[in-house]
């Protein structure tokens, strides 16, 4: 029995996390969920964003599935997501982006993984007003932080028989910070002579991704570019409702969708549960339950491919519950077929 932490989150979080929990239950992987709450809604009720029991649960269980959490824009508290990533040194934000059958998008052959550095860059939260009319932010890039995410990307490429890794930077302008990241990529790549290093400046990367995304297999980049490119890539495959993610460190892993709390559609049972369900599948693979993870992915593909039970963002009219139930039904059919 796995004891895992479950954080429902804000906005659409509770609806989609519930769907993912039901899908994982249908795999028969034995999970004992410890449900703890963090976020804006907890803050409004309890006056604290992350109650102590959330930290205790994460530190005990080491693996969590997490819903999105709202962060106020331009004021208020630091992002809880950034806080978890920094506190637990979850340095690798891994986001697989794939085209799925049945989704009408310009490219049918996208299959890439983004490795986004998760603890440094402009996300360290050091900003100040240097004069009453000028604001400054600190961008921090370290050799240690850069090497380990780049290494993770190359190791992934090696294990998964990928032939190239693209490092995305803006070292022509930020010669010290992005220059250091690029230099680390060149150094690390020497340990992997069979894998080609593609060096791409971030603005060109945006155009290349929109024109010819299939040329990329693995992308490794700094925190802010990784955040932006993730949403761009999500758009290429049909939207934010489809792309899962993992925040992985040496001692802990938190799995969550790329998208946020989507307040515009919260509480309506219309959010696409795919991204968090696939994040759950990534979690099962991390636990060593590869067959069960594959079962979920296969069922998701079939349900989306058939286009009968898909949510509004994908052009359908199914509710969150109907779509996740259809995924569960497909999983059971696949299981019965295998057992027959
Ligand atoms: P968002 O990702 O929440 O939403 C962007 C757009 O995509 C919206 O139109 C939304 O309806 C749609 N969308 C997102 N997820 C969807 C889904 N599963 N199904 C269908 N449509 C979906 O981004 P935002 O509006 O910029 O941010 C809202 C809040 O979420 C902010 O407070 C932000 O800080 C937070 N956020 C949290 C995380 C996280 O917890 N990891 C990540 C990103 C943003």
């Amino acid at each position: 029995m796995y004891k895992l932490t479950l954080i429902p989150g804000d906005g659409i979080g509770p609806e989609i996390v519930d769907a993912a929990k039901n899908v994982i239950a249908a795999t028969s992987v034995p999970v004992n969920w410890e449900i703890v709450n963090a976020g804006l809604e907890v803050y409004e009720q309890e006056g604290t964003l992350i109650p102590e029991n959330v930290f205790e649960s994460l530190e005990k269980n080491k693996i969590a599935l997490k819903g999105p959490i709202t962060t106020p824009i331009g004021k208020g508290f630091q992002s809880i997501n950034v806080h978890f990533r920094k506190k637990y040194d979850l340095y690798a934000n891994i986001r697989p982006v794939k085209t799925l059958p049945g989704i009408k998008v310009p490219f049918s052959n996208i299959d890439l993984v983004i490795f986004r550095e998760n603890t440094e860059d402009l996300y360290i939260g050091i900003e100040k007003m240097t004069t009453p009319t000028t604001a400054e932010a600190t961008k921090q890039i370290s050799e240690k932080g850069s090497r380990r995410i780049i290494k993770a990307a190359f190791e992934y490429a090696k294990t998964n028989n990928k032939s190239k890794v693209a490092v995305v930077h803006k070292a022509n302008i930020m010669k010290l910070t992005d220059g250091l990241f690029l230099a680390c990529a060149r150094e690390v790549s020497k340990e992997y002579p069979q894998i080609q290093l593609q060096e791409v400046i971030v603005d060109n990367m945006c155009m290349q991704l929109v024109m010819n995304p299939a040329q990329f297999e693995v992308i490794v980049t700094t925190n802010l570019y990784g955040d932006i490119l993730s949403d761009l890539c999500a758009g290429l495959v049909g939207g934010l409702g489809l792309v899962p993610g993992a925040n992985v460190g040496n001692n802990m892993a938190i799995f969550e969708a790329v998208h946020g709390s989507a307040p515009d559609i919260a509480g309506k049972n219309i959010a696409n549960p795919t991204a968090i369900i696939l994040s759950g599948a990534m979690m099962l693979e991390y636990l060593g339950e590869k067959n069960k993870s594959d079962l979920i992915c296969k069922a998701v593909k079939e349900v989306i491919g058939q286009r009968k039970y898909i949510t509004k963002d994908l052009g359908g009219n199914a509710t969150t519950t109907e779509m996740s139930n259809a995924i569960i039904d497909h999983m059971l059919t696949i299981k019965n077929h295998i057992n027959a």
Side-chain angles (χ1 to χ4, degrees):
M1 175 76 78
Y2 298 104
K3 182 113 193 253
L4 307 173
T5 299
L6 190 72
I7 305 174
D10 293 320
I12 58 171
E15 302 161 50
I16 55 168
V17 162
D18 200 45
K21 194 166 144 263
N22 292 338
V23 167
I24 291 169
T27 63
S28 321
V29 171
V31 176
N32 178 6
W33 293 106
E34 187 168 22
I35 302 175
V36 288
N37 289 301
L40 194 60
E41 284 162 30
V42 179
Y43 182 74
E44 282 158 6
Q45 287 157 16
E46 300 183 27
T48 172
L49 286 164
I50 316 178
E52 205 44 46
N53 68 333
V54 177
F55 294 118
E56 282 166 13
S57 177
L58 286 171
E59 285 161 27
K60 190 170 35 139
N61 300 327
K62 313 263 188 242
I63 297 174
L65 185 66
K66 174 187 158 296
I69 288 177
T70 303
T71 308
I73 293 173
K75 59 181 169 60
F77 56 83
Q78 190 204 21
S79 157
I80 296 181
N81 308 306
V82 173
H83 185 82
F84 283 144
R85 293 165 190 170
K86 188 106 188 117
K87 181 174 169 75
Y88 295 118
D89 205 20
L90 305 171
Y91 63 88
N93 191 184
I94 305 167
R95 296 171 155 182
V97 183
K98 274 187 200 176
T99 32
L100 291 162
I103 310 270
K104 290 186 199 81
V105 282
F107 304 99
S108 58
N109 51 356
I110 300 172
D111 184 2
L112 58 84
V113 183
I114 297 174
F115 280 74
R116 165 192 175 197
E117 202 291 319
N118 223 6
T119 59
E120 301 194 322
D121 199 1
L122 286 157
Y123 285 68
I124 58 171
I126 302 179
E127 285 190 296
K128 59 174 186 277
M129 298 300 297
T130 49
T131 74
T133 54
T134 310
E136 238 177 58
T138 301
K139 171 167 166 126
Q140 184 189 75
I141 303 287
S142 73
E143 188 178 323
K144 180 184 166 208
S146 303
R147 282 188 69 89
R148 63 185 182 175
I149 185 72
I150 294 163
K151 194 130 179 96
F154 272 92
E155 277 300 314
Y156 173 88
K158 188 175 154 189
T159 313
N160 292 280
N161 293 319
K162 305 287 180 187
S163 62
K164 44 197 174 180
V165 171
V167 59
V168 179
H169 65 89
K170 188 79 184 173
N172 49 331
I173 303 297
M174 280 156 281
K175 294 178 195 292
L176 294 183
T177 48
D178 282 22
L180 177 59
F181 194 80
L182 178 60
C184 289
R186 288 177 180 162
E187 270 308 302
V188 171
S189 75
K190 288 183 191 153
E191 298 166 32
Y192 302 86
Q194 72 283 19
I195 298 168
Q196 182 201 344
L197 177 70
Q198 302 163 286
E199 296 182 9
V200 195
I201 295 175
V202 64
D203 35 350
N204 178 30
M205 186 65 176
C206 294
M207 188 201 65
Q208 295 294 337
L209 278 168
V210 170
M211 303 278 296
N212 180 16
Q215 66 183 297
F216 300 109
E217 297 178 351
V218 180
I219 295 171
V220 64
T221 190
T222 51
N223 208 337
L224 181 61
Y225 308 149
D227 196 9
I228 297 168
L229 291 180
S230 299
D231 276 34
L232 189 158
C233 288
L236 288 174
V237 296
L240 278 167
L242 296 173
V243 182
N247 302 287
V248 183
N250 292 333
N251 300 310
M252 191 186 286
I254 300 180
F255 295 82
E256 63 179 341
V258 168
H259 64 71
S261 54
D264 52 335
I265 55 166
K268 297 180 179 163
N269 196 23
I270 57 168
N272 185 346
T274 304
I276 191 82
I277 289 172
L278 292 178
S279 304
M282 286 177 83
M283 187 185 71
L284 292 188
E285 186 170 351
Y286 181 87
L287 287 167
E289 301 281 357
K290 174 89 172 87
N291 289 344
K292 301 297 168 69
S293 170
D294 289 348
L295 175 66
I296 294 178
C297 297
K298 198 159 187 266
V300 165
K301 259 193 213 163
E302 284 180 10
V303 167
I304 292 178
Q306 290 178 4
R307 295 193 61 80
K308 192 168 171 209
Y309 294 105
I310 51 172
T311 43
K312 200 172 160 206
D313 56 309
L314 302 180
N317 52 21
T319 61
T320 309
T321 317
E322 285 166 346
M323 186 168 178
S324 56
N325 283 345
I327 293 168
I328 292 169
D329 286 346
H330 270 71
M331 285 165 55
L332 298 177
T333 310
I334 298 167
K335 264 181 67 187
N336 289 341
H337 186 70
I338 291 168
N339 293 337

